[in-house]
Amino acid sequence: MSERSLLLALVSLAVATSPIHANLITVNTTVDEFGDSPSSGCSLREAVHAANTDAAFGGCAAGHDADLILIGAGTYALTRLPSLPDDGSSGDLHVTDEVEMVGAATIDAGQIDRIFDIAKTAGTVTLQGLTLRNGDPDGLPDSGGAILTHESVGLVLDSVTIENNRAGGGGGIALFPALAGDPPTAVPTFDFEDVTLNDNEAFQTGGAVHWSTRGSGAVWECLRCSIETNQAAAGGGIVALVTPLELATLRFEDSHLLDNTSSNANRGGISIPPTGSAAVHLTNTEMHGNQGVGATKDGFYSESPIATLFVTGGAISDTLYFVDGGAAVVSGATFANGSFGAIYSLRNTMVELDGVRFEDNTSQPALYLGEGSSATVQGSVFVGNLKGGVQCDDCNLIVSRSAFVDNLRSGDGGAGVRVLGVAAEASFRNVTFSGNRTLSSNGGGLALEEGADFLLNNVTVTANQASSAGGLYVGPGAAAPEMSNTILAGNTQTGGAASDCGGSILSIGHNLIGNADSCSITPTAGDQTGTAAQPLAAGLAPLTTVNGQPVHGLLLGSAALDHGDNGSCQTIDQTGQPRPLDGGGGLVCDIGAREEPNPSEPALFTDGFESGDTTAWN
């Protein structure tokens, strides 16, 4: 006996002997009978009818209240073609009373009909250990290839596989509301654990699941679920359609949403239509390969102005796309190799990021914020993105304790961050821009092309490159950024000449600018500036990672060491290190994103000699 079969047997025994179950009905034939004479035994169809009616039927014992149907191992083919009356005697299995079905069994509908039609009178229906396949209600409008529930029904699935089913909506499962004018009698709860939905198809919406609810407070929990290779016209994986102002909650934990496809819309994974008001939680969940029209990889697509997505941990290579409104709250997740960026807000979306990593995303900026959107970015890293780190179009952007490293942009400026729009506002505190490059425009690290209000405090901008203004570019349509305690040094323009900034800057003091020739800036108290002829070196250590944050520390003798302003410095640095520390010049904060706790000696050699690598001398 396999480990899974043994576990199911033990669970079945425990449930069967539990006092909350009034009756055990044991299925002992795989033949699809319904009161046939002679009888082969107790069939699955007869067992369901006995549980519904609380009466003996066919070869099955009578049910009573909440029943347990124990299904032996094997394949149970539904062979009775649908006919009137539609009462479960043929076609799909009608469940009208609370029941639990347990067994390491496969139920195969052979595409004659769906498998289970669960009425709203059923209370809570539990399925455990089953495989449901080849359900097909045989009609474009019909929904729920394997399971159709009506609102007020609770559905519990444990170790269930739902595969190769199809329907008009909800190729695998349709969780549907009551009819108009017939309000739900209870708030439904759907509890899925170790559930697989794969290779299901919907001709309209929801390849795996179409979830539609009118009851406020409905909850769908999915623990260790795998939703893979399903397809639909819209919402290849899941469509959640929730009546406005009646918030429902969908939670995925330790789950996988992979390779689901949508044939005529950008809704490959999870789709929230304009009327949806769901709160969707993805915790330690993997999402990739979900594909909409034109090969767009969208794992989450929301048209709702009030839907909210919460992402905690997990690895995502698809785009989270918001059309108008809604919110994304993301912490501890990694977005890598997305083909349309990572998070895309067309307009009016609120985004909160904490401890998020964006790496090697393409085609669009890793984070795009359209008109009216806002974002708070904290403790996050943008590295190696091929269309830039962040683009803010008439948005409000707040960035703190974060890094933009080795991002690339061709054709536009701002490989690290690009800001556009006359109403745009952006602030940067304890932020490092390093190694970012734009090939044919201005501002390799940061381009403030337009906007109304900007601030930089304790920022390090170094080793970036652009056609001009390699570090920071401020366009003629942008307000001069207020800048303090900031390093702009070691940046270059195409060809290698020093080029740290361009445009107007309003110094609040204590900045270090390596070459200020191309900037319009009036030095203020504590400012240190160099020129093209005599650039000022910042004395920065090579990029290293501290507490998950890429930073440039300060070397002994650095002009940034202990030269900040204690009155305006941030109280902690980019890595969480408290400020100020005494770097040898007194208890004064450092300029830049890093408060250096242990200034090191500058390297005397760059050829490997100091490390003992004498091969570099050969």
Side-chain angles (χ1 to χ4, degrees):
M1 179 180 288
S2 70
E3 180 179 346
R4 180 170 178 267
S5 298
L6 177 60
L7 177 60
L8 286 171
L10 292 172
V11 170
S12 301
L13 179 61
V15 173
T17 57
S18 171
I20 67 171
H21 286 89
N23 198 69
L24 171 66
I25 303 173
T26 302
V27 176
N28 54 25
T29 179
T30 61
V31 179
D32 188 16
E33 295 182 339
F34 191 79
D36 295 4
S37 181
S39 172
S40 300
C42 177
S43 73
L44 175 60
R45 189 180 298 275
E46 292 170 333
V48 171
H49 185 76
N52 290 338
T53 60
D54 289 343
F57 185 76
C60 301
H64 183 70
D65 294 335
D67 298 296
L68 170 67
I69 297 176
L70 187 59
I71 307 171
T75 298
Y76 295 76
L78 303 185
T79 59
R80 301 175 69 91
L81 298 177
S83 62
L84 296 176
D86 185 14
D87 58 1
S89 61
S90 63
D92 54 18
L93 305 176
H94 285 208
V95 180
T96 61
D97 200 7
E98 187 160 326
V99 69
E100 182 171 357
M101 304 184 203
V102 177
T106 296
I107 304 175
D108 191 328
Q111 297 185 348
I112 68 166
D113 204 342
R114 74 172 58 84
I115 297 174
F116 289 110
D117 188 340
I118 305 175
K120 69 176 185 178
T121 58
T124 297
V125 174
T126 300
L127 305 178
Q128 186 177 48
L130 302 176
T131 295
L132 310 180
R133 67 164 61 118
N134 294 326
D136 184 352
D138 194 26
L140 184 61
D142 289 340
S143 299
I147 301 173
L148 172 63
T149 74
H150 301 277
E151 197 153 352
S152 303
V153 170
L155 181 63
V156 178
L157 302 181
D158 185 359
S159 304
V160 171
T161 296
I162 298 174
E163 61 186 13
N164 296 309
N165 303 282
R166 62 183 184 178
I173 303 174
L175 307 173
F176 262 28
L179 298 175
D182 187 12
T185 57
V187 176
T189 297
F190 309 108
D191 188 357
F192 294 7
E193 186 170 336
D194 296 309
V195 171
T196 298
L197 289 119
N198 63 277
D199 297 319
N200 301 287
E201 179 181 6
F203 304 111
Q204 295 174 329
T205 57
V209 179
H210 183 121
W211 183 31
S212 182
T213 176
R214 292 193 298 112
S216 181
V219 177
W220 175 13
E221 304 266 4
C222 215
L223 175 62
R224 296 187 301 275
C225 292
S226 179
I227 298 179
E228 301 186 35
T229 58
N230 303 282
Q231 57 182 312
I238 298 166
V239 163
L241 179 61
V242 183
T243 303
L245 305 182
E246 294 187 346
L247 182 65
T249 301
L250 167 59
R251 294 192 182 98
F252 278 88
E253 184 173 351
D254 296 329
S255 295
H256 306 273
L257 288 91
L258 311 175
D259 301 320
N260 302 287
T261 58
S262 171
S263 62
N264 67 4
N266 296 328
R267 304 166 186 168
I270 300 174
S271 176
I272 312 292
T275 56
S277 59
V280 179
H281 297 253
L282 304 177
T283 301
N284 297 325
T285 290
E286 179 185 11
M287 180 183 287
H288 72 73
N290 300 287
Q291 183 170 313
V293 172
T296 299
K297 298 290 196 298
D298 43 81
F300 178 88
Y301 187 94
S302 174
E303 299 173 273
S304 167
I306 54 177
T308 302
L309 174 65
F310 298 89
V311 180
T312 305
I316 297 175
S317 64
D318 294 337
T319 304
L320 311 181
Y321 194 104
F322 295 81
V323 175
D324 191 351
V329 180
V330 186
S331 63
T334 296
F335 293 81
N337 303 303
S339 64
F340 198 76
I343 301 176
Y344 194 101
S345 162
L346 192 58
R347 54 186 171 269
N348 300 321
T349 303
M350 183 190 75
V351 179
E352 294 183 6
L353 306 177
D354 188 357
V356 181
R357 185 176 180 87
F358 298 87
E359 186 169 3
D360 297 332
N361 297 285
T362 63
S363 296
Q364 294 291 330
L367 172 61
Y368 176 84
L369 301 164
E371 180 182 1
S373 296
S374 64
T376 301
V377 181
Q378 176 177 291
S380 297
V381 177
F382 296 75
V383 58
N385 299 287
L386 298 185
K387 286 291 285 186
V390 176
Q391 180 164 324
C392 165
D393 286 351
D394 267 329
C395 85
N396 185 292
L397 176 64
I398 299 173
V399 183
S400 64
R401 297 185 54 227
S402 296
F404 298 84
V405 176
D406 293 337
N407 299 288
L408 180 67
R409 190 150 193 165
S410 59
D412 299 315
V417 174
R418 184 188 188 204
V419 180
L420 300 165
V422 295
E425 298 180 0
S427 63
F428 304 88
R429 298 174 175 87
N430 284 326
V431 180
T432 292
F433 294 87
S434 177
N436 304 285
R437 292 185 300 134
T438 178
L439 302 181
S440 56
S441 193
N442 302 314
L446 176 60
L448 308 177
E449 298 182 19
E450 297 174 303
D453 189 18
F454 301 111
L455 179 145
L456 288 81
N457 189 30
N458 285 118
V459 174
T460 298
V461 185
T462 189
N464 304 285
Q465 186 180 63
S467 58
S468 66
L472 167 65
Y473 172 72
V474 182
E482 297 183 4
M483 192 170 78
S484 55
N485 302 300
T486 289
I487 296 172
L488 275 172
N491 303 283
T492 59
Q493 64 186 34
T494 305
S499 178
D500 290 311
C501 52
S504 298
I505 297 173
L506 177 60
S507 175
I508 308 301
H510 299 270
N511 300 294
L512 190 159
I513 305 176
N515 172 14
D517 281 359
S518 299
C519 312
S520 176
I521 182 172
T522 300
T524 309
D527 282 346
Q528 304 172 69
T529 61
T531 65
Q534 292 185 311
L536 177 62
L540 297 175
L543 193 72
T544 189
T545 299
V546 179
N547 294 336
Q549 283 293 313
V551 290
H552 288 278
L554 301 179
L555 301 173
L556 280 173
S558 168
L561 199 63
D562 295 337
H563 277 80
D565 174 31
N566 285 347
S568 59
C569 274
Q570 301 300 126
T571 56
I572 59 173
D573 76 354
Q574 183 182 328
T575 70
Q577 172 72 52
R579 296 182 192 267
L581 296 175
D582 186 353
L587 196 62
V588 180
C589 66
D590 298 335
I591 301 174
R594 174 65 166 155
E595 183 74 8
E596 181 56 62
N598 297 297
S600 58
E601 292 280 359
L604 298 178
F605 302 97
T606 59
D607 53 15
F609 176 74
E610 288 186 321
S611 66
D613 181 11
T614 57
T615 59
W617 291 75
N618 295 333

